[in-house]
Amino acid sequence: MADDLSDPKIVMSIREGNKVVFQQVFDACYESLCQYAFTMLKDENEAEDTVQSMFVKLWSKREELDIKQNIRSYLFRSVYNRCMNQIEHKAVKQKHFEYSKLELTQSVQPDVFPDELEDKIREAVDALPPQCRAIFIMSRYEELRYPEIAEKLNISVNTIQNQICKALKILRENLKDII
């Protein structure tokens, strides 16, 4: 099967929902894709999760497949892109974590109890403009990555970044007296 992965019939069979052909492609490529993902992510479980999620997305969007090159090349490129997104997401989360940790060490004890603080934060988030609030919740509470939010809402990643910046600015302003 590995030699036949450039055959357009394979892509057509997958587009038509042929589970046997899809399973053959999966079996032929899974191990090498996991090894490739591991070289970038340095975590075996994360590498396997990345490859598996790529195959799940491939199957769920199979009717839209438009692969012109060898399917193996397409799969490696897809895994590469997913790994890069994860690495970028990790860097953003780490930066946010470090910033939050720094803010906590520099801030004074608030004059409110934790329950009150949580209520005030919830009120401040609820007061955000609708799209800004939805994006902020998906990013911070649901822990979705910017590309995932962009795909879900059918808007650009740049718009997501702008809305998150706007939300943080509004929240800082609204919560400056209590935090």
Side-chain angles (χ1 to χ4, degrees), residues 26-173:
F26 180 89
D27 292 341
C29 299
Y30 181 77
E31 273 307 312
S32 54
L33 289 170
C34 286
Q35 290 170 358
Y36 180 60
F38 178 77
T39 63
M40 290 180 276
L41 300 173
K42 308 297 186 223
D43 181 300
E44 192 173 320
N45 290 330
E46 194 174 356
E48 287 181 13
D49 288 347
T50 300
V51 173
Q52 289 170 2
S53 69
M54 183 274 305
F55 272 110
V56 167
K57 185 170 183 178
L58 179 72
W59 181 254
S60 68
K61 302 231 180 214
R62 67 186 174 277
E63 294 169 352
E64 303 165 22
L65 273 183
D66 187 27
I67 301 172
K68 303 286 188 229
Q69 76 268 28
N70 177 302
I71 192 167
R72 187 177 190 87
S73 300
Y74 175 86
L75 296 175
F76 273 89
R77 174 55 70 185
S78 296
V79 167
Y80 173 82
N81 290 336
R82 283 181 169 270
C83 289
M84 290 296 107
N85 286 341
Q86 282 191 243
I87 290 168
E88 179 182 322
H89 181 64
K90 275 188 206 174
V92 168
K93 280 178 78 171
Q94 182 63 30
K95 194 173 187 180
H96 178 71
F97 173 74
E98 289 170 6
Y99 178 76
S100 298
K101 197 166 82 172
L102 180 65
E103 273 190 347
L104 282 175
T105 59
Q106 293 177 347
S107 68
V108 294
Q109 187 66 20
D111 294 332
V112 292
F113 291 104
D115 291 340
E116 291 176 43
L117 180 59
E118 190 174 309
D119 289 342
K120 293 196 184 282
I121 292 171
R122 191 176 305 113
E123 287 173 15
V125 169
D126 289 344
L128 291 171
Q131 183 181 26
C132 189
R133 179 178 57 242
I135 291 170
F136 182 80
I137 288 171
M138 284 185 225
S139 172
R140 295 308 195 265
Y141 294 113
E142 297 175 19
E143 297 182 358
L144 295 177
R145 294 177 287 153
Y146 290 3
E148 293 172 320
I149 298 169
E151 184 178 318
K152 202 172 198 179
L153 298 178
N154 199 22
I155 56 180
S156 74
V157 172
N158 197 21
T159 300
I160 301 300
Q161 291 170 337
N162 291 338
Q163 290 294 313
I164 291 294
C165 287
K166 178 180 177 180
L168 292 173
K169 183 178 179 184
I170 292 169
L171 290 174
R172 273 190 215 103
E173 181 63 31

